Amino acid sequence: MIYQMFTLVTDRSKYFRVKRGQTQKETEEVLGAPFKVFFDGAIIELGEKLQPYTCQPLESYKTLSLKFGVPVEELKRINFDKPLYPSCKLFVPCKK
């Protein structure tokens, strides 16, 4: 019987592995995306590039939707339906 060795090759630009000692906040700032599950060794698939945004008083998902031209459901999905309050950090899609 002959065994053949193989190497799994992935598109490295689509994935990120969390290294020991990295915090969720630092990683979110560098990669520009929020993460629901975060632990050492986790492999995260990177999606579209997002930019951080700090909420202002009286802003809602609807007003942000109009401001950035993104559907309300998409903003809620990206930010895991996080409640909004002044100085809350959100992620919104980058303008192209």
Side-chain angles (χ1 to χ4, degrees):
M1 183 175 262
I2 299 174
Y3 292 100
Q4 293 182 350
M5 298 296 291
F6 67 92
T7 302
L8 177 64
V9 178
T10 62
D11 184 1
R12 291 182 184 255
S13 64
K14 287 179 60 177
Y15 299 96
F16 176 80
R17 181 184 296 267
V18 178
K19 294 168 187 65
R20 185 178 302 166
Q22 286 181 320
T23 66
Q24 184 170 1
K25 185 176 180 180
E26 291 171 345
T27 306
E28 286 179 347
E29 288 174 0
V30 170
L31 298 179
F35 306 109
K36 191 150 189 125
V37 178
F38 189 88
F39 55 89
D40 291 348
I43 296 175
I44 300 168
E45 183 175 0
L46 303 176
E48 62 184 304
K49 187 69 174 172
L50 304 172
Q51 64 185 12
Y53 177 77
T54 304
C55 288
Q56 303 300 316
L58 303 175
E59 284 188 322
S60 67
Y61 279 112
K62 186 173 182 176
T63 59
L64 293 174
S65 170
L66 295 172
K67 183 175 186 174
F68 293 104
V70 179
V72 174
E73 297 79 26
E74 181 73 11
L75 283 175
K76 286 183 175 183
R77 183 190 62 78
I78 290 171
N79 293 288
F80 306 112
D81 205 10
K82 180 180 187 177
L84 302 184
Y85 53 88
S87 76
C88 170
K89 300 282 187 194
L90 290 181
F91 287 92
V92 294
C94 291
K95 294 182 181 179
K96 295 178 181 181

